[in-house]
Amino acid sequence: MAYALQQLINGISLGMIYGLIAVGYTMVYGIIGMINFAHGDVFMIGAFVALIALLLLQLGGVMDGTAAILLMLLASVAVTALYGWTVERVAYRPLRGSFRLAPLISAIGLSIVLQNYVQVSQGARVKPVEAVLRGGVEVFREGDFAVQLSYMQMLIIGTTLAALAAFTILVTRTPLGRAMRACEQDRKMAALLGIDTDRTISLTFVIGAALAAVAGTMYLLRYGVIDFYIGFLAGVKAFTAAVLGGIGSLPGAVLGGLLIGLIETFWSAYFSVQYKDVAAFSILVLTLIFLPTGLLGRQEVEKV
Amino acid sequence: MSAEQSPLLELDAVSAGYGPVQALSAVSIRVMPGEIVTLIGANGAGKSTLLMTICGDPKPRSGRVLLAGTDIAGLPTHAIMRQGLAQSPEGRRVFPRMTIRENLLMGAETLAEGGDRSAQLDQVFTLFPRLRERLAQRAGTLSGGEQQMLAIGRALMSRPRLLLLDEPSLGLAPLVVRQIFGAIRDLNGKTGLTVLLVEQNANLALRLAHRGYVLVNGRIAMEGTGAELLARPEVRDAYLGGGAPLPPPLPADGPNPA
Ligand SMILES: Nc1ncnc2c1ncn2[C@@H]1O[C@H](COP(=O)(O)OP(=O)(O)OP(=O)(O)O)[C@@H](O)[C@H]1O
Ligand SMILES: [Mg+2]
């Protein structure tokens, strides 16, 4: 019981990270109808920028945990958002309107470039960092087993919720959010209503990348080790989350992320840690076969 | 020449198309401020392409598009639309997953953020009371005619100086069509709204419009006042069903499976 509760906490905090990345997949898919396969690597870049920021802060003598985390987040979001913008400009925009496979190839190419760039510039070695935030609270005790909610997990859950809340307000309440929804539903018509669709698409990539940067920073803080390959694994899992939730659905992405995080955690806890990645891949395959529209995906009932 | 006599919109030898398709060839038209001008023509003549070319999608291959004397050809669509144009396009193109209210508000997106939209909303609801009854319904679930009303209403929300309407009568009951045409005339009379109207229903359109153009295979074939065009035998024959032979009667024993 206590052990399961602990897994639940671990699963949620991991799932929130996947959810943040999944939102980026689903947003871009919604607006340009294409999977941004470089998105996992954007997350990886976010983690590396956070790492570099942390090392610089430690060099500079900033040791206060909260300040360090805030500065890492800021640096990571800023640099990664710029990456997101560049990805769209370089890899996607020139191919808009060409055959459907072209941007896909471009995305995979870009993903390889980003991975190799980081591998060469940062080295292929796994990067460990010291924990910035230690300790936690004991939630519950059963015999010898204490269920812990670490400060780090609280930070992850809190930050993720805050990022998602800000993002929800942006999409539902602001002109940019309206422009995004309009472009998603009918880009040509959006332009006829005076919406700058190119700018809207750029900003969609930027926002998706910013959320991935938050996820990357949280990942670094939580796990303490990163390498140039984390983008691929996390990317596939977040993509699975987006598909499971229903690609194109924002609440679906978060729900899917939570489910993947929980499934992976429980799978590792009760079956096999070695095969934990297999769980996510299996879910992707099963979802695609049996539930292609996902849990919250839309049933196409509209008249056209 | 006084300011009032210079056209609000002028197309000067505009050609446009899609890839290998040449849809418009050296089209020149003028729309004066306060005028209702209609464009009639057979299916595929290039009417919708003409309205879309004015909006920069597709961009003209040659020629000039002058809005109040300034060449807007080559500008991106959103920049053109922000100069006081609005279009209710072919196929209605309402946002299916937005409510009626959200769709209408999208029409006012070019106006200053946070402004009061209630006057425009009221105007639309006066025209189409049906829309008021369904404010929170998703546009994708509206009937075809209701979507058409919504598309026209949305185009009015930005208080355009030039309104482009692509077949507003399509899919609407005759009573509603008359109502819409009456509304266009009213708006034109009361507010001086300038309208460029594409219509299949040439009879109604030519009665409503001050002037009209006939488009044949991407070229302007005729122009004149509504009354002049209505009186022309070529127009009557081709667009008003004047000389068209009636289809043969159906066999008495129902459809032939052939
Ligand atoms: N997106 C497109 N790609 C290629 N060709 C197109 C496209 N849109 C229109 N055309 C072609 O351009 C020509 C003019 O089409 P357009 O839609 O302007 O005609 P229309 O006069 O509006 O016809 P209708 O009365 O049927 O609406 C047609 O030959 C059509 O096939
Ligand atoms: Mg047409």
Side-chain angles (χ1 to χ4, degrees), chain B residues 31-148:
Chain B
V31 181
M32 306 304 280
E35 245 188 341
I36 301 178
V37 172
T38 187
L39 194 65
I40 59 175
N43 291 124
K47 305 181 296 296
S48 300
T49 304
L50 182 67
L51 291 194
M52 288 304 293
T53 305
I54 294 168
C55 301
D57 179 18
K59 293 194 193 313
R61 287 177 177 163
S62 61
R64 296 185 306 160
V65 179
L66 302 168
L67 184 68
T70 319
D71 195 353
I72 54 169
L75 290 182
T77 300
H78 67 93
I80 293 175
M81 303 316 285
R82 285 182 173 267
Q83 306 199 13
L85 268 68
Q87 186 179 166
S88 166
E90 177 162 57
R92 310 182 293 253
R93 308 194 88 126
V94 296
F95 297 112
R97 293 185 294 285
M98 292 189 193
T99 64
I100 291 190
R101 190 190 163 75
E102 289 171 318
N103 265 281
L104 289 174
L105 291 177
M106 286 308 302
E109 205 65 10
T110 50
L111 304 181
E113 174 67 12
D116 187 15
R117 311 277 191 259
S118 50
Q120 287 107 303
L121 284 171
D122 279 345
Q123 181 190 35
V124 172
F125 296 145
T126 312
L127 280 178
F128 307 117
R130 222 178 154 68
L131 295 181
R132 193 204 300 267
E133 296 160 20
R134 291 159 185 248
L135 262 187
Q137 187 174 335
R138 286 183 178 226
T141 63
L142 293 174
S143 79
E146 289 164 342
Q147 290 189 4
Q148 184 69 67

Side-chain angles (χ1 to χ4, degrees), chain A residues 113-280:
Chain A
V113 169
L114 289 180
Q115 282 186 30
N116 282 286
Y117 165 70
V118 172
Q119 184 177 1
V120 168
S121 62
Q122 303 294 322
R125 219 157 30 84
V126 169
K127 304 280 171 201
V129 289
E130 290 171 46
V132 181
L133 203 59
R134 289 171 209 280
V137 292
E138 193 179 300
V139 185
F140 179 73
R141 175 173 283 278
E142 192 181 68
D144 282 346
F145 192 86
V147 179
Q148 290 277 329
L149 178 61
S150 69
Y151 291 133
M152 189 42 85
Q153 285 171 328
M154 287 188 215
L155 177 81
I156 291 174
I157 294 170
T159 309
T160 313
L161 284 178
L164 287 174
F167 173 73
T168 307
I169 290 170
L170 181 90
V171 172
T172 53
R173 301 277 154 84
T174 66
L176 174 61
R178 286 198 297 275
M180 284 165 58
R181 285 187 294 144
C183 286
E184 190 191 311
Q185 295 179 35
D186 188 338
R187 203 190 306 160
K188 210 177 171 97
M189 189 65 224
L192 281 181
L193 293 174
I195 291 168
D196 185 344
T197 54
D198 278 345
R199 176 173 169 273
T200 307
I201 292 171
S202 277
L203 288 174
T204 303
F205 274 81
V206 164
I207 294 164
L211 292 176
V214 174
T217 308
M218 295 300 125
Y219 187 94
L220 172 77
L221 290 171
R222 169 81 169 86
Y223 294 97
V225 287
I226 55 172
D227 61 46
F228 70 95
Y229 201 59
I230 58 165
F232 175 74
L233 274 184
V236 170
K237 288 173 192 169
F239 172 62
T240 305
V243 173
L244 178 62
I247 191 94
S249 159
L250 296 170
V254 179
L255 176 67
L258 281 174
L259 287 174
I260 297 292
L262 286 168
I263 291 168
E264 180 179 325
T265 308
F266 277 92
W267 181 285
S268 319
Y270 289 100
F271 299 108
S272 150
V273 185
Q274 276 81 17
Y275 287 102
K276 73 182 164 76
D277 297 332
V278 175

Side-chain angles (χ1 to χ4, degrees), chain B residues 184-238:
Chain B
I184 296 171
R185 173 169 285 160
D186 263 18
L187 283 168
N188 172 262
K190 290 200 186 108
T191 66
L193 175 69
T194 311
V195 181
L196 178 55
L197 169 72
V198 162
E199 253 303 334
Q200 284 290 335
N201 192 333
N203 193 8
L204 263 183
L206 289 172
R207 277 170 211 284
L208 171 74
H210 299 109
R211 289 189 306 113
Y213 292 89
V214 179
L215 200 59
V216 177
N217 286 331
R219 292 173 195 279
I220 299 292
M222 269 177 264
E223 67 169 289
T225 65
E228 279 166 12
L229 290 176
L230 271 173
R232 294 253 202 129
E234 313 94 286
V235 174
R236 300 193 72 86
D237 289 352

